[in-house]
Amino acid sequence: MKATRVCLWLHAFSTVVVLVGAFDPITTSVVIGIGAALSRSIYNYLHESCDQKWVAFNSTGLEEDLGNKLFGQHLASHIIAKAVSGFMNNANPKKPLVLSLHGWTGTGKNFASVLIAENIYKKGMDSNFVHVFTAELHFPHAGQMDTYKTQLQQWIKGNVSACAHSMFIFDEMDKMHPGLIDSIKPYLDYYDKVDGVSYRKAIFIFLSNAGGESIVQTALDFWNAGRSREEIELKDVETSLALSVFNNKRSGLWHTSLIDKNLVDFFVPFLPLEYKHVVQCAKAAMSAQGLEPDAVVADKVARELLYFPKSERVFSVKGCKTIDSKWEYYA
């Protein structure tokens, strides 16, 4: 259908061009104007631009995706849905949205970022307005900190200038050199503009394993007390999580002014996953391949993973990290 429309537009445009020579100068100017407008329409149809056609927030879609696809994370799903919806529905936010996602590997931090992008940008993670930085890939050498700071500032400024609703995802924050992220503090603060550019509509997401121990301890405390994980609330983990991240020397947020100045809007805890959540991940992996989920295979995959505490086997050590590569082995 999309290809048919483009072909029709191109045919119409070529017809306009052929007819130009048959009119007087005034009529020719009108026809050329129509042709130029048609050409712009074709370009905008094919190329992503920073407008409502390509950047349109789906609040209901985000809430449903987080609830149905992000397994075992009732708390993170609730916080993210409320935070992103409140921000995107505010025509004049006072500052950029800053989310810091924390938890052990395989608990869904990266996946949550994907779901956010898919419900804001038509092209999801492939959008030109979504930018991902990975500590070990983009900032590998501690001796080049000054260069990294300058490049990071220029990159963010350039992209926000091109599209106010840009998203920046910083992965592996626990491996990022301390002090680097402070270089973008002015862009996350309550400023109307910084060097002529407003950053108030941008979204910054930090992903980190740092603070995972604090989150796991809370989950274990609830389990030992016989309480459901669904009873865990933000107030049960937020303060200890923020302190753990701020005082962790292996964290890119160690003693950062972003925390000290309260510029991180939410510290989002991702709880350790249980056996039943791993089963859900395995079934989802099969569905993603267009296959009917097999409960027997999903059970085999889940049983083969490591859990802790060792005697009770409550929480998956790697969450759902290796599910995609394992389920086919048991099929």
Side-chain angles (χ1 to χ4, degrees), residues 265-277:
D265 296 297
F266 290 96
F267 289 92
V268 185
F270 280 69
L271 303 174
L273 300 183
E274 299 177 10
Y275 167 84
K276 61 183 178 182
H277 304 126

Side-chain angles (χ1 to χ4, degrees), residues 71-75 222 227-233 236 271 274 276-277:
F71 305 125
Q73 302 299 351
H74 74 283
L75 188 52
F222 270 70
R227 300 176 63 183
S228 168
R229 66 189 285 124
E230 282 71 27
E231 295 182 55
I232 300 175
E233 299 179 9
D236 296 317
L271 303 174
E274 299 177 10
K276 61 183 178 182
H277 304 126

Side-chain angles (χ1 to χ4, degrees), residues 59-81:
S59 178
T60 302
L62 177 61
E63 187 172 354
E64 291 179 350
D65 282 350
L66 289 169
N68 298 328
K69 299 178 180 179
L70 188 63
F71 305 125
Q73 302 299 351
H74 74 283
L75 188 52
S77 295
H78 178 73
I79 297 170
I80 292 172

Side-chain angles (χ1 to χ4, degrees), residues 22 42 77 146 151 171-172 202 207 216 223 236 240 271 279 301 310 313 317 319 324 327:
I42 295 172
S77 295
D146 290 339
Q151 290 176 340
D171 198 2
E172 299 180 343
L207 311 179
V216 168
W223 181 79
D236 296 317
S240 60
L271 303 174
V279 170
V301 173
K310 287 185 178 181
R313 287 173 55 86
V317 173
D324 285 341
W327 74 263

Side-chain angles (χ1 to χ4, degrees), residues 91-284:
N92 186 33
K94 300 301 181 183
K95 65 179 289 297
L97 176 63
V98 183
L99 301 177
S100 194
L101 280 49
H102 297 268
W104 278 12
T105 183
T107 52
K109 301 184 297 298
N110 280 282
F111 186 52
S113 302
V114 171
L115 295 180
I116 295 172
E118 288 180 345
N119 284 284
I120 295 179
Y121 307 95
K122 184 176 181 180
K123 298 181 70 174
M125 291 296 290
D126 291 328
S127 171
N128 291 323
F129 311 128
V130 177
H131 313 280
V132 180
F133 299 95
T134 303
E136 293 187 329
L137 176 62
H138 295 101
F139 316 109
H141 306 296
Q144 298 184 20
M145 281 280 286
D146 290 339
T147 299
Y148 293 152
K149 288 180 179 180
T150 300
Q151 290 176 340
L152 186 56
Q153 290 171 343
Q154 292 175 342
W155 182 256
I156 292 176
K157 180 178 180 180
N159 282 287
V160 173
S161 297
C163 183
H165 281 297
S166 291
M167 179 185 293
F168 302 92
I169 301 171
F170 292 83
D171 198 2
E172 299 180 343
M173 280 297 296
D174 46 304
K175 298 177 183 177
M176 189 168 291
H177 306 298
L180 175 58
I181 205 66
D182 278 337
S183 66
I184 65 170
K185 175 187 173 295
Y187 305 153
L188 311 186
D189 215 328
Y190 291 84
Y191 295 123
D192 184 27
K193 291 184 179 180
V194 179
D195 292 333
V197 178
S198 174
Y199 297 86
R200 292 185 171 191
K201 294 183 178 181
I203 296 177
F204 294 82
I205 301 177
F206 304 130
L207 311 179
S208 177
N209 292 343
E213 293 82 359
S214 172
I215 298 169
V216 168
Q217 187 58 56
T218 299
L220 276 172
D221 290 343
F222 270 70
W223 181 79
N224 286 323
R227 300 176 63 183
S228 168
R229 66 189 285 124
E230 282 71 27
E231 295 182 55
I232 300 175
E233 299 179 9
L234 182 59
K235 63 182 177 61
D236 296 317
V237 292
E238 187 174 38
T239 300
S240 60
L241 175 57
L243 287 173
S244 175
V245 173
F246 185 76
N247 292 315
N248 188 340
K249 291 185 177 182
R250 293 178 297 171
S251 168
L253 294 172
W254 178 66
H255 283 194
T256 176
S257 59
L258 303 189
I259 297 178
D260 193 36
K261 300 299 182 182
N262 298 309
L263 297 182
V264 176
D265 296 297
F266 290 96
F267 289 92
V268 185
F270 280 69
L271 303 174
L273 300 183
E274 299 177 10
Y275 167 84
K276 61 183 178 182
H277 304 126
V278 177
V279 170
Q280 289 178 301
C281 288
K283 290 181 178 180

